[in-house]
Amino acid sequence: MTGIKTTGEKKMMFFSGRAHPELAEAVAQQLGVGVVPTKAFDFANGEIYVRYQESARGADCFLIQSHTAPINKWVMEQLIMIDALKRASARSITVIVPFYGYARQDKKHRGREPISARLIADLMKTAGADRILAVDLHTDQIQGFFDGPVDHLFALPLLADYVGAKVDRSKLTVVSPDAGRVRVADRWCDRLGAPLAIVHKRRDKDVANQVTVHEVVGDVQGRICVLVDDMIDTGGTICAAADALFAHGAEDVIVTATHGVLSGPAADRLKNSKVSEFVFTDTLPTPNELELDKITVLSIAPTIARAVREVFEDGSVTSLFDEQ
């Protein structure tokens, strides 16, 4: 006989950066594990130090970090944590990114521009990530930027079932805020049995977050409209789309988005909007100033936990969303 046989079982370890500890704890609770104790702090000059308090040798490691503000700090911390796991002899490293930073920079619109979403994927791969698990990427093509498995999770069942249980479905119209979201809105229509409408917009290519709404395509007169998007940043696009729907006779407007980025003037825009409810998931922490009655935050932790368990047990992540 040559070699040595082992009888050890697979071991899962769950790690978290400092960006969104509440979500990490919620996912860990769903999994029935604890978050591995980690020593992490910033040096005086801003450099980040990380050291895990437990051995990760031979373990299947899952590292969660959402790219919230300040985004560059948390991206860098995640890269450092991946490198630390690689050098700690982890068996595998799965990076969980509930909100994938720089996802909107997924292609070149004009010359001399970067494709930053690809750069983020390259950095994670170089740092040592074996797999990426993300929620509602801005575009599907980002999956191809990473040279390895990418598990793309969807918040649609969570959001759609919440809205469907609240409203009269006979009066419901699903609205895409632009042409790019039509495919997602179509899936909402299939799940809720509702018709589709589209808000046509034009974005100023020279001014960030500047949108002009032109027209509404579809019947929204007297309807309850649910605007579906992947993220809301400053709120300009979605609030302008809602105003257009009200101008075309909509009875009510509900806005849903997976990622509530909510930066800059978003707080004032959401507060002053005629939209009756904004529904997000907790892929990103909600700013304290936006704890409003009209904002509802649903937990994405059960979805992430189910996907993590499927990955660890060599199951099928796709099966979680087959009903779509």
Side-chain angles (χ1 to χ4, degrees):
M1 175 181 174
T2 60
I4 299 174
K5 290 184 178 180
T6 64
T7 57
E9 296 181 349
K10 292 173 65 178
K11 178 183 180 182
M12 175 200 290
M13 298 185 75
F14 189 73
F15 301 82
S16 172
R18 295 175 290 166
H20 193 358
E22 297 83 6
L23 177 59
E25 289 291 346
V27 174
Q29 185 175 15
Q30 290 285 328
L31 288 169
V33 302
V35 179
V36 174
T38 304
K39 184 178 182 180
F41 60 83
D42 300 341
F43 286 108
N45 68 345
E47 291 180 8
I48 297 168
Y49 173 85
V50 170
R51 183 178 184 271
Y52 303 118
Q53 306 288 73
E54 296 179 8
S55 172
R57 184 179 298 274
D60 291 310
C61 299
F62 294 82
L63 166 62
I64 188 168
Q65 178 89 304
S66 201
H67 297 165
T68 185
I71 186 168
N72 297 323
K73 175 179 179 177
W74 301 133
V75 169
M76 190 65 199
E77 180 177 88
Q78 188 170 40
L79 296 173
I80 291 171
M81 296 183 79
I82 295 169
D83 185 73
L85 287 173
K86 177 178 67 175
R87 298 177 191 280
S89 301
R91 179 176 180 268
S92 68
I93 303 170
T94 298
V95 180
I96 306 169
V97 193
F99 176 72
Y100 187 101
Y102 290 90
R104 284 171 286 186
Q105 298 184 43
D106 61 332
K107 57 183 173 290
K108 291 178 66 173
H109 296 275
R110 295 184 291 177
R112 301 181 300 282
E113 286 185 344
I115 304 180
S116 304
R118 169 62 190 265
L119 175 61
I120 295 294
D122 287 344
L123 289 169
M124 289 183 182
K125 185 67 176 180
T126 300
D130 298 300
R131 176 188 294 265
I132 291 178
L133 192 153
V135 181
D136 278 334
L137 292 166
H138 187 59
T139 55
D140 291 339
Q141 71 197 45
I142 295 174
Q143 296 175 74
F145 293 169
F146 184 76
D147 188 16
V150 176
D151 294 305
H152 193 192
L153 310 185
F154 303 98
L156 189 154
L158 178 67
L159 294 168
D161 291 351
Y162 172 83
V163 172
K166 285 199 63 171
V167 303
D168 179 358
R169 293 198 186 188
S170 65
K171 300 177 66 176
L172 187 65
T173 294
V174 176
V175 183
S176 172
D178 56 45
R181 294 289 113 191
V182 170
R183 188 175 175 185
V184 173
D186 260 336
R187 293 201 285 263
W188 274 74
C189 293
D190 293 340
R191 193 174 185 93
L192 296 178
L196 173 69
I198 304 168
V199 176
H200 175 65
K201 71 176 184 182
R202 186 178 299 274
R203 187 180 295 275
D204 190 332
K205 64 182 180 181
D206 294 316
V207 182
N209 305 115
Q210 187 67 45
V211 172
T212 302
V213 173
H214 285 265
E215 59 182 320
V216 175
V217 181
D219 181 22
V220 299
Q221 179 76 37
R223 308 283 292 179
I224 301 172
C225 296
V226 53
L227 268 166
V228 300
D229 211 344
D230 66 318
M231 72 175 77
I232 296 178
D233 189 354
T234 62
T237 298
I238 211 74
C239 289
D243 289 343
L245 293 174
F246 281 118
H248 283 74
E251 177 183 313
D252 190 18
V253 176
I254 298 171
V255 170
T256 72
T258 304
H259 311 296
V261 182
L262 307 177
S263 55
D268 288 337
R269 286 173 174 170
L270 268 59
K271 288 176 184 176
N272 298 326
S273 172
K274 293 192 290 182
V275 172
S276 64
E277 186 174 12
F278 292 89
V279 186
F280 305 111
T281 71
D282 58 351
T283 56
L284 292 166
T286 303
N288 292 332
E289 64 270 20
L290 274 166
E291 292 181 356
L292 308 174
D293 291 340
K294 66 164 63 177
I295 292 180
T296 301
V297 180
L298 307 178
S299 176
I300 197 70
T303 302
I304 294 176
R306 288 169 62 200
V308 167
R309 193 169 294 282
E310 290 293 338
V311 171
F312 178 64
E313 296 175 353
D314 297 322
S316 170
V317 175
T318 303
S319 67
L320 303 179
F321 306 99
D322 278 344
E323 68 270 17
Q324 292 186 47

